[in-house]
Amino acid sequence: MGKIYLIRHGETDSNLGHKFQGQMDLPLNGTGLAQAQKMADYMAEKQIDAIYSSSMLRALMTTSKLAMAKNLPYRSLDLLKEISFGDWEGLEYSDIQARWPQEMYNFLHCPGKWQPPHGENFAAAMERCRLAFEQIFAEQGHDKNIAIVSHGGIIRLQLCLVLGIPLDNLWKLSVYNVSVSTLSNWNGSLCVDSMNVADFLAKSLEAHVI
């Protein structure tokens, strides 16, 4: 029985400023780098056989800390990139609310119906999550312990996929920066052992929900 560790990237300036970053390829800030090291220290005693990462910079910077701690290579996958928020990327919540009030209402209250202008909806992104799982299991089998570093939106969708949670309940799942959610893999049948574990962070290294 393998373990799957779903890990969110560390903090970016857009996280700190409550901006939608989506597929904007932004780096970790200083706090994010410190968070990533704390996560790597936490994972040091856990057996890891393979590491996968979103191909986006903030995820790769987080992954590199884990890979160095475990002395393992890692593979990046475009399938694990964050959801594309289209025209919302780089904007603050208040700006989006003013310009797209109905779309913002759908995003917050019925995300299954949400479609960002020139972006990707949650159903399409969930299909990417399913394909990413299929690719990883095809390459690694079902008995290895695998770390997958990605994004808040992607991890929520992965958890919805495993638990059969409707997309409209997406925001009932919290996913903090560098939090670790653990799945058990019973020959391809996944179950959730823990979610959003981030108590290894010092109080001075807060983690953002979105």
Side-chain angles (χ1 to χ4, degrees):
M1 180 180 69
K3 295 283 188 183
I4 308 297
Y5 298 100
L6 305 177
I7 303 168
R8 188 184 173 193
H9 65 79
E11 182 187 276
T12 67
D13 285 343
S14 285
N15 291 147
L16 193 61
H18 301 290
K19 293 181 179 179
F20 279 75
Q21 53 191 335
Q23 294 189 0
M24 296 174 65
D25 210 12
L26 304 175
L28 301 183
N29 59 22
T31 297
L33 287 168
Q35 290 173 337
Q37 186 60 59
K38 288 279 188 180
M39 176 274 297
D41 294 343
Y42 169 75
M43 295 294 293
E45 296 183 1
K46 299 184 185 297
Q47 175 63 41
I48 300 292
D49 301 305
I51 302 174
Y52 285 79
S53 175
S54 158
S55 57
M56 303 196 72
L57 180 59
R58 57 191 183 271
L60 293 171
M61 291 176 71
T62 304
T63 304
S64 67
K65 297 287 189 181
L66 177 61
M68 286 189 288
K70 305 303 290 186
N71 194 27
L72 285 172
Y74 60 87
R75 179 167 181 186
S76 65
L77 295 181
D78 286 342
L79 287 171
L80 295 170
K81 292 172 71 171
E82 180 61 293
I83 299 156
S84 170
F85 291 115
D87 294 345
W88 291 12
E89 293 186 358
L91 300 180
E92 295 183 4
Y93 285 76
S94 58
D95 296 330
I96 297 168
Q97 177 63 43
R99 296 173 61 182
W100 294 279
Q102 184 59 55
E103 288 84 352
M104 177 57 89
Y105 179 88
N106 290 344
F107 176 79
L108 294 174
H109 301 286
C110 43
K113 300 177 182 177
W114 171 73
Q115 177 65 56
H118 304 107
E120 177 184 32
N121 62 35
F122 287 119
M126 181 179 275
E127 177 62 13
R128 285 201 283 116
C129 293
R130 186 186 66 79
L131 293 172
F133 275 140
E134 286 187 356
Q135 180 174 338
I136 291 168
F137 294 144
E139 294 174 355
Q140 300 295 333
H142 297 286
D143 296 325
K144 291 184 179 176
N145 298 321
I146 303 168
I148 304 174
V149 181
S150 64
H151 307 269
I154 292 299
I155 293 171
R156 285 182 176 90
L157 290 171
Q158 288 171 321
L159 292 170
C160 285
L161 190 62
V162 171
L163 293 169
I165 295 174
L167 285 174
D168 281 347
N169 292 327
L170 182 76
W171 300 122
K172 294 182 179 180
L173 301 171
S174 290
V175 181
Y176 298 162
N177 289 121
V178 300
S179 65
V180 180
S181 298
T182 305
L183 314 178
S184 290
N185 185 359
W186 295 78
N187 196 30
S189 179
L190 298 174
C191 62
V192 176
D193 292 339
S194 62
M195 290 191 292
N196 196 39
V197 174
D199 55 1
F200 51 84
L201 290 176
K203 290 182 180 180
S204 60
L205 297 177
E206 295 180 355
H208 291 276
V209 174
I210 297 176

